[in-house]
Amino acid sequence: MAEMTLLQAINDGLKTEMRRDPNVVVFGEDVGFLGGVFRTTEGIQKEFGEERCFDTPLSEVAICGTAVGMAVYGMRPVAEIQFLDFIYPGFDQIVSEAAKMRYRSAGQFTCPLVIRSPYGGGIKVGHYHSQSTETYFAHTPGLKVVIPSNPKDAKGLLISAIRDPDPVLFLEPKRLYRAVKGEVPEGDYTTPLGQAEIVHPGQDVTLIAYGAMMPIALEAARNVEASIEVIDLKTIMPLDIKTILDSAKKTGRVITVHEAVRTCGMGAEISALVAEHAMEYMKAPILRVTGFDTPFPYTLEHVYLPDAKRIVMAIEKVMGY
Amino acid sequence: MMQEDMIQILKPNGELVDSALEPKLSKEELQKLYHSMVMVRLLDERMLMLQRQGRIGFCVTCLGQEALAGSGLALQKNDWVFPAYREYVVALIRGMPLLDMMGQYFGNELDPLQGRQMPNHFSHKETNFVSISSPIGTQLGHAAGAAIASKIKKDKNVVITYCGDGGTSSTDFHAGLNMAAIHQAPCIFFCSNNQYAISVPVEKQTGVKVLVDKAKAYGMRGVRVDGNDVLAVYQVVKEAADRAREGKGPTFIESVTFRMGPHSSSDDPTKYCPKEKFEAWAKKDPIQRFQVYLEKKGLWNEDFDKKLKETLKQEILEAVEKVSKAAPPKISTIFEGVYQDMPYHLKIQHNELLEEAKHKGEFIDTSEKFPL
């Protein structure tokens, strides 16, 4: 065990899997010589050489298209998109090519790639470096979307994502890169995809969050009298429906938290699932604590982003219903 | 239209431009080429007819572009193909069985792809003929990626990918050529300039006079070839493949040809293409030209041709008969293969559909139901 930041855990995860599997290659803008603008790939080119860790031209469509071709050919590419806000030129490659390859070829060809990208706000870098648009991808059959919230999970989920037989979008909460530290097991281990975790058991309210919202969800849970069950989704596609529904049935009150815009967000999907499968257990309306349906503001980002107080208000609302 | 700077081995009348240019192909290889070209022309005729009769939903033809077969012959068994949608003759010549192809046209339970794609979107693992998608140019970046992978793994496999003149305007064209050139990857970009992207003529597609000029912008070797000359197509792809295998990097090939039919069964080219163009290009037909060459070699005569066509037509008819009667794919195939393992939410939806079918009184084997 070593104490690591989330950033170091991702770096350790990449290196661990690259040592085990020669088919793993890492590439993207500035990831090679520089080690990434956030330094997530620091030291990788030095250890594994320029063939297995290389800088790409400034083209997200090239990065994503190349990754698809490599994966179809039999490698395990891990491509980086520098910020999730830059991913859209590669969107077609992700949603129409990577995500559909297995289905459209009836399994003749598969696309086991990982696209890593930092997402979300909180570091004062404005609209084009702060958005949380995970729902675009969660809406895509064939794609898995994974979002860790702490160093241990980040490494374990990343290794699982690289070994997964299907394409995975791995979104990293950039505001937590250096803000959270934790014990990370050494060497090789995996954290399963598609499995949520109850990180704070409780009886009165189910609080469902992921990624950068986990620290504030836990802060809120610890600062109210009610007994709050906090679930870290870890994977938003496919959702761990059982864990969500079991908790919802137990508490009868559900609040979802994400920094992404509200409309058609993961909160909407989870609310619908609870309404469809556990309506009779509900003691209060299902609430969504989210960013707003606006572009992401620069100066007022601290006002825009959900915080523990906004969550506490929602908890008080469902408890007082 | 034909430019002089274009590589040609057979003149439109079938004579050799220069006997020194003649590729050294065996009798069997020449016959294989001719066989594939005739097969695909007969197949196109039959499938278009079946589409008009409403027996299949859609089809694409490659009338006038059958010399693409030459590119397929020039590859080795372990090489990879990332096609657009008009190059299925490459799959045929590399060994994709006609029955698999026919299954895909009909999209029923005999379709290796289980009815998941519209016709002509073939995929064939055994010949490394990678699954086709409809958006234009998307395969070009894949080819660069696969070629880089081949280089990293030191496999010595060459990757070929295809696009049309329209495809050269796509973002993936720029991305793919740029990437392959940077890595000096063993990749061949084969562009069939058939003069039209559905209704848009190549003059409205790009400001360059010849598409091969685009290669220069990537620092890539560019070759322009008569796309209706199967020997020239074979030769330029063979050279590009040899170079790629020797580590000399990618090649962009502009193959000058003409789409003698519609873009697809949904298209009517008489609306936008003057008939004089069809008449002019009919004189450059790739199959006729090759016939003349083969005849001089003693490998073709009218009697042989008649028998070959009868045999191939019979083979196609038998495939249609066999495949067309099959049942639709099972409804579970809707949900299978989205991921390797079916996630819980898809099991829920699968079971819902079984309930729906039961409610509607449709016979469906509900033992397929997933335990949740």
Side-chain angles (χ1 to χ4, degrees):
Chain A
M1 286 277 198
E3 183 159 87
M4 288 187 194
T5 61
L6 194 140
L7 192 89
Q8 289 165 332
I10 288 167
N11 183 270
D12 188 37
L14 288 169
K15 286 176 178 165
T16 301
E17 193 59 6
M18 286 180 86
R19 284 176 198 133
R20 195 190 68 89
D21 182 357
N23 284 317
V24 179
V25 287
V26 168
F27 53 92
E29 294 156 11
D30 303 295
V31 307
F33 186 76
L34 182 66
V37 293
F38 288 100
R39 308 289 182 268
T40 38
T41 55
E42 194 157 50
I44 293 182
Q45 192 178 70
K46 204 173 170 192
E47 181 175 344
F48 299 95
E50 282 186 47
E51 272 201 332
R52 291 186 65 198
C53 178
F54 57 88
D55 290 316
T56 63
L58 220 164
S59 166
E60 286 74 20
V61 63
I63 295 168
C64 297
T66 298
V68 172
M70 282 185 160
V72 167
Y73 189 88
M75 300 201 77
R76 295 272 166 167
V78 183
E80 177 180 304
I81 298 294
Q82 202 162 76
F83 287 86
L84 184 57
D85 314 79
F86 303 167
I87 204 168
Y88 307 108
F91 192 71
D92 180 49
Q93 283 295 337
I94 299 168
V95 303
S96 280
E97 300 299 318
K100 304 297 183 281
M101 190 60 76
R102 176 189 295 281
Y103 193 76
R104 78 187 198 209
S105 71
Q108 288 181 1
F109 298 99
T110 60
C111 201
L113 58 77
V114 176
I115 294 175
R116 296 177 37 246
S117 190
Y119 86 98
I123 64 163
K124 280 276 180 190
V125 283
H127 182 82
Y128 293 107
H129 304 81
S130 300
Q131 296 168 89
S132 301
T133 55
E134 61 272 19
T135 305
Y136 289 142
F137 301 95
H139 196 67
T140 301
L143 203 61
K144 295 182 179 178
V145 184
V146 175
I147 310 182
S149 70
N150 60 70
K152 184 182 174 209
D153 283 352
K155 180 177 169 182
L157 288 168
L158 181 58
I159 292 176
S160 292
I162 298 171
R163 290 182 196 174
D164 198 85
D166 290 303
V168 179
L169 187 71
F170 191 85
L171 300 182
E172 300 165 3
K174 68 172 87 77
R175 70 193 279 194
L176 301 186
Y177 266 155
R178 293 182 173 87
V180 297
K181 275 191 173 180
E183 292 291 316
V184 175
E186 276 164 40
D188 180 3
Y189 70 95
T190 58
T191 306
L193 306 190
Q195 276 185 33
E197 184 184 344
I198 296 168
V199 290
H200 186 277
Q203 300 298 321
D204 298 330
V205 179
T206 299
L207 192 57
I208 302 168
Y210 52 91
M213 293 293 98
M214 287 315 299
I216 66 158
L218 284 165
E219 186 190 336
R222 289 174 187 135
N223 283 308
V224 291
E225 275 182 29
S227 165
I228 311 296
E229 180 141 295
V230 184
I231 296 175
D232 182 351
L233 288 176
K234 301 186 191 182
T235 301
I236 63 165
M237 174 50 77
L239 269 178
D240 183 352
I241 296 174
K242 282 182 188 170
T243 299
I244 293 169
L245 293 182
D246 286 350
S247 179
K249 287 173 185 173
K250 182 174 78 177
T251 63
R253 298 178 189 89
V254 175
I255 298 169
T256 59
V257 186
H258 53 68
E259 57 185 294
V261 298
R262 184 172 302 164
T263 299
C264 298
M266 290 313 298
E269 180 57 35
I270 293 164
S271 303
L273 278 169
V274 174
E276 281 171 355
H277 299 284
M279 195 63 193
E280 63 274 30
Y281 297 88
M282 288 299 106
K283 298 169 188 159
I286 307 158
L287 293 188
R288 291 175 285 172
V289 176
T290 66
F292 301 105
D293 288 2
T294 68
F296 192 96
Y298 172 63
T299 305
L300 295 178
E301 78 167 359
H302 60 291
V303 181
Y304 174 92
L305 285 168
D307 59 8
K309 282 181 187 162
R310 195 182 290 168
I311 298 173
V312 169
M313 279 174 67
I315 293 172
E316 285 167 356
K317 208 166 171 180
V318 295
M319 290 307 293
Y321 184 77
Chain B
M1 272 298 284
M2 290 281 189
Q3 303 283 326
E4 284 178 4
D5 59 353
M6 189 168 65
I7 293 169
Q8 198 178 57
I9 293 175
L10 289 178
K11 293 178 194 168
N13 66 8
E15 286 173 16
L16 282 167
V17 172
D18 176 352
S19 57
L21 298 174
E22 189 183 5
K24 289 170 186 58
L25 290 170
S26 67
K27 182 184 158 192
E28 290 71 28
E29 286 171 318
L30 290 169
Q31 282 171 335
K32 194 174 175 187
L33 271 182
Y34 186 70
H35 182 286
S36 306
M37 291 168 79
V38 174
M39 177 56 143
V40 83
R41 182 163 290 185
L42 295 173
L43 182 67
D44 279 351
E45 278 171 18
R46 173 60 56 181
M47 298 326 288
L48 199 55
M49 198 186 296
L50 292 175
Q51 193 279 334
R52 298 300 185 228
Q53 292 167 352
R55 294 177 71 191
I56 60 169
F58 171 90
C59 76
V60 166
T61 63
C62 65
L63 195 63
Q65 297 180 225
E66 294 87 350
L68 281 161
S71 68
L73 187 74
L75 301 171
Q76 293 185 2
K77 187 176 179 293
N78 291 331
D79 290 343
W80 282 65
V81 183
F82 288 78
Y85 43 78
R86 224 179 284 285
E87 298 88 17
Y88 37 98
V89 68
V90 174
L92 268 178
I93 202 166
R94 282 172 60 77
M96 179 170 179
L98 179 65
L99 274 177
D100 285 356
M101 221 171 238
M102 196 57 75
Q104 207 279 322
Y105 279 110
F106 279 89
N108 55 33
E109 67 175 1
L110 292 181
D111 173 10
L113 309 186
Q114 302 176 321
R116 283 172 179 162
Q117 288 240 71
M118 71 194 297
N120 282 98
H121 289 57
F122 304 111
S123 176
H124 193 246
K125 177 77 177 168
E126 289 74 15
T127 53
N128 292 338
F129 190 85
V130 179
S131 167
I132 298 168
S133 73
S134 312
I136 294 303
T138 52
Q139 67 282 2
L140 301 170
H142 303 171
I148 295 168
S150 168
K151 192 180 168 190
I152 293 172
K153 289 164 90 84
K154 299 181 173 53
D155 284 344
K156 296 279 174 199
N157 293 334
V158 170
V159 177
I160 192 167
T161 182
Y162 297 84
C163 70
D165 38 308
T168 63
S169 301
S170 69
T171 50
D172 295 274
F173 179 85
H174 171 59
L177 270 72
N178 195 35
M179 200 65 150
I182 290 167
H183 286 263
Q184 287 295 292
C187 196
I188 303 167
F189 295 90
F190 189 103
C191 172
S192 293
N193 177 4
N194 70 8
Q195 316 296 326
Y196 281 90
I198 305 188
S199 70
V200 179
V202 68
E203 297 80 18
K204 290 188 179 168
Q205 196 67 242
T206 172
V208 296
K209 296 287 179 217
V210 289
L211 296 178
V212 74
D213 281 354
K214 288 179 181 260
K216 287 180 197 158
Y218 302 100
M220 190 183 293
R221 176 174 175 261
V223 176
R224 196 157 188 263
V225 66
D226 181 346
N228 284 20
D229 173 355
V230 69
L231 294 184
V233 169
Y234 166 83
Q235 191 60 33
V236 296
V237 174
K238 180 75 170 56
E239 279 170 18
D242 289 346
R243 286 176 58 91
R245 231 179 289 282
E246 288 161 16
K248 292 181 182 165
T251 300
F252 174 75
I253 296 169
E254 177 190 0
S255 167
V256 183
T257 183
F258 190 76
R259 196 186 74 210
M260 291 295 286
H263 160 70
S264 74
S265 53
S266 311
D267 178 42
D268 175 7
T270 63
K271 295 248 191 284
Y272 53 79
C273 183
K275 72 172 191 305
E276 293 75 25
K277 278 197 182 178
F278 286 105
E279 288 164 4
W281 279 91
K283 292 175 187 148
K284 301 168 188 170
D285 184 71
I287 295 182
Q288 277 177 20
R289 189 186 306 198
F290 195 38
Q291 274 173 7
V292 174
Y293 172 77
L294 292 176
E295 190 174 20
K296 282 181 190 157
K297 294 209 150 260
L299 296 173
W300 188 92
N301 60 53
E302 280 184 13
D303 189 42
F304 158 81
D305 205 47
K306 208 177 144 201
K307 279 182 191 151
L308 174 70
K309 282 175 182 160
E310 273 168 20
T311 312
L312 295 179
K313 275 184 186 170
Q314 191 56 33
E315 206 180 314
I316 293 168
L317 270 180
E318 281 169 16
V320 172
E321 279 307 298
K322 184 164 184 199
V323 169
S324 62
K325 289 171 186 154
K330 281 188 174 171
I331 66 163
S332 58
T333 61
I334 294 175
F335 301 94
E336 289 160 359
V338 182
Y339 301 91
Q340 180 174 282
D341 302 312
M342 193 182 295
Y344 188 74
H345 69 282
L346 287 183
K347 291 179 181 171
I348 294 176
Q349 291 169 29
H350 176 270
N351 287 358
E352 279 173 11
L353 184 60
L354 292 181
E355 284 301 310
E356 179 187 317
K358 213 163 123 188
H359 184 74
K360 288 175 178 169
E362 291 165 5
F363 176 75
I364 279 166
D365 181 5
T366 48
S367 65
E368 284 182 54
K369 201 165 167 170
F370 286 98
L372 292 178

